Amino acid sequence: QVQLVESGGGLVQAGGSLRLSCAASGRTFSDYDMGWFRQAPGKEREIVAAISWGGDNTYYADSMKGRFTISRDNARNTVYLEMNSLKPEDTAVYACAAARYVRYSRGSVYTKAADFGSWGQGTQVTVSS
């Protein structure tokens, strides 16, 4: 099991930026894909972005492409989410997650919530208009 702790959320005006961090402990961080998910009040959880264990493959939900960037520092056991051009509809609780299993294939990344077995508590991001 891996423990995940997010930080960096807060209140920002529309058009602003935030950088979320997720620190991992308890497992070999560099072996596992990582993801960021979000859930807004009254809505289902959705994937924001994911990154492969080596950082060479990434995935972004369509509405985040060009605005958000996921990255990881395996030496620091940390995954990041840089969010730019934030919109009020980006308001949600953002949580990072670690994949259940090591993915041995290259050229892809886990993207489904069911593929992730460890979750952080989440950090609130609020974008005001």
Side-chain angles (χ1 to χ4, degrees):
Q1 194 73 4
V2 61
Q3 291 74 47
L4 303 170
V5 179
E6 302 95 339
S7 61
L11 173 64
V12 64
Q13 289 188 333
S17 299
L18 282 175
R19 188 194 196 203
L20 306 183
S21 299
C22 172
S25 61
R27 195 173 66 176
T28 305
F29 177 75
S30 59
D31 285 348
Y32 296 87
D33 292 1
M34 297 293 296
W36 283 98
F37 292 77
R38 71 183 186 185
Q39 187 166 20
K43 295 187 177 181
E44 293 187 356
R45 181 173 57 191
E46 62 175 343
I47 187 167
V48 175
I51 187 167
S52 60
W53 54 268
D56 51 341
N57 289 285
T58 57
Y59 169 87
Y60 296 93
D62 287 344
S63 60
M64 287 62 154
K65 289 179 180 177
R67 299 191 300 126
F68 292 8
T69 302
I70 189 171
S71 61
R72 66 190 296 162
D73 184 340
N74 286 344
R76 297 179 181 272
N77 290 354
T78 303
V79 62
Y80 304 97
L81 184 68
E82 184 77 34
M83 303 185 295
N84 298 312
S85 302
L86 283 162
K87 306 174 182 179
E89 51 263 43
D90 293 319
T91 295
V93 175
Y94 286 70
C96 67
R100 293 182 185 274
Y101 308 111
V102 174
R103 184 181 45 75
Y104 293 98
S105 62
R106 299 187 72 92
S108 63
V109 59
Y110 287 129
T111 61
K112 298 179 181 178
D115 293 327
F116 294 83
S118 299
W119 296 80
Q121 291 295 312
T123 184
Q124 177 70 45
V125 171
T126 302
V127 184
S128 63
S129 57

